[in-house]
């Protein structure tokens, strides 16, 4: 009898650990609301990420509607992708909901002008890892330098990768991020950060996972297999183990 009880107790302790991951495949949300500059590359970016999801086992929903930022909606997603968003796209209630989502274990992917969104919201700048300042007048050719050639988002790239884009300059950089690639400012005009100019990175932040890449201005970028693999690696990092969100860990209060 004692042996049977011990076995039942062991099983009851083991089950929650196994069931912490979602039973269904991961689902991500592309958020592409713009209040300032609208990137013509957004539709192609959406189409590309949807194809990546079909090929790599995750579902993709899309919206420009900030009303999606509620607990009941966000808890469905392993990651939220801010695709070239611009301006202050969330109101204070929605900001609190997104903050709670990350604190509950959610994932975030920022692509290109995501860093030009919510520029006065310090928490979002820290989540993204930096805040956009400016860029050269037009997209120009330059060279990306791969810092980590073993990361899934960069291992397909040459050490020096010729690329055409808007080369973003930043402020309020987070220093505890894992930098994946940098810009070689000697290969284009308009860089203001000098010899060490990070362009893409990832980090754990406030209970969640965040990946950001400054690349992706041009529509043609999303047709490039190397860039597709770059953003796929970032999305997979943000998805993580597809664990169920735990809102008990959210420190931010809901806004009434």
């Amino acid at each position: 009898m004692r042996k049977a009880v011990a076995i039942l107790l062991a099983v009851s302790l083991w089950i929650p650990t196994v069931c912490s991951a979602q039973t269904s495949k991961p689902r991500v949300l592309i958020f592409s609301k713009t209040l300032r500059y609208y990137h013509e590359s957004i539709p192609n970016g959406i189409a590309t990420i949807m194809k990546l999801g079909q090929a790599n086992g995750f579902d993709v929903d899309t919206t420009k509607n900030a009303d999606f930022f509620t607990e009941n909606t966000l808890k469905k997603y392993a990651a939220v992708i801010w695709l070239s968003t611009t301006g202050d796209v969330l109101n204070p209630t929605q900001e609190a909901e997104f903050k709670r989502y990350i604190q509950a274990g959610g994932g975030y992917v920022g692509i290109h002008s995501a860093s030009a969104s919510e520029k006065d919201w310090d928490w979002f700048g820290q989540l993204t890892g930096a805040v956009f300042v400016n860029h050269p007048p037009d997209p120009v050719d330059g060279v990306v330098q791969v810092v980590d050639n073993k990361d899934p988002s960069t291992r397909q790239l040459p050490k020096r990768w010729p690329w055409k884009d808007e080369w973003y300059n930043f402020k309020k950089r987070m220093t505890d991020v894992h930098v994946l690639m940098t810009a070689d400012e000697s290969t284009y005009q308009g860089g203001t950060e000098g010899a060490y100019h990070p362009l893409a990175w990832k980090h754990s932040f406030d209970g969640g996972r965040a990946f950001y890449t400054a690349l992706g201005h041009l529509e043609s970028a999303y047709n490039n297999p190397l860039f597709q693999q770059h953003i796929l690696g970032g999305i997979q990092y943000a998805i993580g183990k597809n664990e169920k969100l735990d809102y008990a860990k959210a420190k931010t209060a809901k806004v009434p």
Side-chain angles (χ1 to χ4, degrees), residues 116-135:
S117 308
E118 300 290 342
K119 293 178 69 174
D120 296 323
W121 184 15
D122 287 342
W123 180 89
F124 183 77
Q126 292 166 12
L127 173 72
T128 300
V131 176
F132 166 80
V133 176
N134 57 32
H135 58 72

Side-chain angles (χ1 to χ4, degrees), residues 1-254:
M1 184 69 178
R2 288 181 181 176
K3 186 175 181 181
V5 171
I7 292 171
L8 287 171
L9 180 60
V11 169
S12 68
L13 292 173
W14 175 68
I15 288 174
T17 303
V18 172
C19 295
S20 62
Q22 302 273 30
T23 54
S24 57
K25 62 182 178 178
R27 181 175 291 273
V28 303
L29 176 67
I30 301 175
F31 180 53
S32 58
K33 181 177 179 179
T34 58
L35 292 179
R36 294 185 179 177
Y37 184 85
Y38 174 78
H39 283 81
E40 299 292 339
S41 61
I42 288 175
N44 202 26
I46 290 172
T48 294
I49 294 170
M50 293 185 77
K51 289 178 183 177
L52 289 173
Q54 291 171 358
N56 293 277
F58 59 88
D59 291 325
V60 181
D61 293 335
T62 72
T63 189
K64 298 176 183 177
N65 186 357
D67 289 340
F68 268 55
F69 283 71
T70 67
E71 181 175 329
N72 283 339
T73 301
L74 291 178
K75 69 182 182 182
K76 302 173 186 176
Y77 299 104
V80 179
I81 303 167
W82 290 50
L83 176 61
S84 291
T85 50
T86 55
D88 294 335
V89 290
L90 302 182
N91 65 33
T93 300
Q94 294 157 352
E95 289 177 358
E97 291 292 329
F98 186 56
K99 197 171 180 181
R100 285 172 54 80
Y101 164 79
I102 294 296
Q103 292 170 347
Y108 162 77
V109 174
I111 297 178
H112 196 53
S113 62
S115 61
S117 308
E118 300 290 342
K119 293 178 69 174
D120 296 323
W121 184 15
D122 287 342
W123 180 89
F124 183 77
Q126 292 166 12
L127 173 72
T128 300
V131 176
F132 166 80
V133 176
N134 57 32
H135 58 72
D138 298 301
V140 294
D141 292 315
V143 172
V144 172
Q145 301 174 125
V146 174
V147 176
D148 181 354
N149 61 6
K150 295 181 179 178
D151 190 82
S153 70
T154 49
R155 64 189 175 197
Q156 78 285 1
L157 299 175
K159 189 172 182 179
R160 291 179 59 80
W161 183 29
W163 186 251
K164 185 176 184 177
D165 217 307
E166 287 180 328
W167 299 84
Y168 276 13
N169 299 306
F170 298 97
K171 63 180 180 179
K172 297 183 179 180
R173 282 196 176 277
M174 294 286 282
T175 57
D176 59 348
V177 299
H178 180 72
V179 174
L180 301 166
M181 57 172 62
T182 62
D184 182 350
E185 288 192 0
S186 70
T187 62
Y188 67 92
Q189 299 294 317
T192 63
E193 298 192 39
Y196 187 64
H197 183 155
L199 287 176
W201 52 82
K202 64 182 184 180
H203 65 141
S204 298
F205 179 76
D206 205 14
R209 302 161 305 282
F211 170 91
Y212 174 78
T213 181
L215 307 184
H217 174 77
L218 295 173
E219 184 177 358
S220 59
Y222 298 90
N223 299 328
N224 185 304
L226 296 179
F227 183 67
Q228 290 175 1
Q229 184 62 41
H230 176 55
I231 57 176
L232 173 63
I235 293 168
Q236 290 173 329
Y237 171 76
I239 288 172
K241 297 178 181 178
N242 191 33
E243 293 179 340
K244 227 173 184 180
L245 298 182
D246 184 0
Y247 274 88
K249 295 180 179 178
K251 299 170 288 186
T252 298
K254 290 180 73 70

